[in-house]
Amino acid sequence: MTKTRILFVCLGNIIRSPLGEKLFEHVANEGGVGEKYEVDSAGTSAHHIGERPDERMRRTAQRRGFVYDGRARQVKAQDLDDFDLIIAMDLENLNNLRRLARTEEQAAKLHLMRSFDPDADGDMAVPDPWYGGPQGFDVAYDIIDRSVRGLLLALESGQLKVQ
Ligand code: 4NP
């Protein structure tokens, strides 16, 4: 079986995208379809390469019973060939990815995370909690949790088709 390969992308690959990757994997496993997907995450910036996910987001996740880990890497042009879907956390990440895209096929793989959030209210960003207070991590967690569930539903229902 060919797996659907999904790459989650944010700026640093230490807060939003690693959580997106691991939560998607978790909800897919919970739904009994984990083996159909291969997931990874990356950052558009090189600032945090090799770092583990931000301690504040891991603590937020742990309070909800979700433990995860990983190491940051930077997105590369080859990712646009290697993955079927590339999910950007905000418009800035999406625009950076668009600049990397060389073909229509690559550009068609790019999506905004919140386009799968059933509660998105017009603000299509998963807000970056880096500079705000602790509540920003809870807000981002909730959005990411809803969005990965929405993404899985879109894929499993056939509403979102992968080329
Ligand atoms: P992320 O969050 O893009 O969700 O990993 C950030 C991580 C680092 C920085 C900003 C956002 N930073 O400014 O270093």
Side-chain angles (χ1 to χ4, degrees), residues 8 59 67 107 126 160:
F8 294 90
R59 273 203 304 269
V67 175
V126 179
L160 176 61

Side-chain angles (χ1 to χ4, degrees), residues 112-121 123-126 142-144 146-148 150-151:
L112 267 178
M113 182 74 148
R114 288 201 82 180
S115 61
F116 305 104
D117 174 3
D119 292 358
D121 53 4
D123 177 2
M124 296 308 282
V126 179
D142 287 335
I143 293 172
I144 291 167
R146 286 197 307 269
S147 300
V148 295
L151 172 60

Side-chain angles (χ1 to χ4, degrees), residues 20 39-40 57 61-62 73 98 113 126 135:
V39 289
D40 194 6
M57 188 53 111
Q62 198 164 5
R73 75 166 177 92
R98 279 183 179 143
M113 182 74 148
V126 179
Q135 72 285 357

Side-chain angles (χ1 to χ4, degrees), residues 89-108:
M89 297 296 140
D90 60 34
L91 211 51
E92 188 191 347
N93 309 144
L94 184 69
N95 285 335
N96 285 331
L97 289 165
R98 279 183 179 143
R99 276 193 279 278
L100 277 183
R102 292 284 165 263
T103 64
E104 284 294 309
E105 193 188 345
Q106 289 178 335

Side-chain angles (χ1 to χ4, degrees), residues 9-18 43 45 47-48 54 56 89-90 93 126-131:
V9 176
C10 61
L11 178 65
N13 191 211
I14 54 170
I15 303 181
R16 294 164 293 173
S17 63
S45 107
H47 270 82
H48 298 277
D54 188 283
R56 296 164 293 176
M89 297 296 140
D90 60 34
N93 309 144
V126 179
D128 169 7
W130 180 257
Y131 290 113

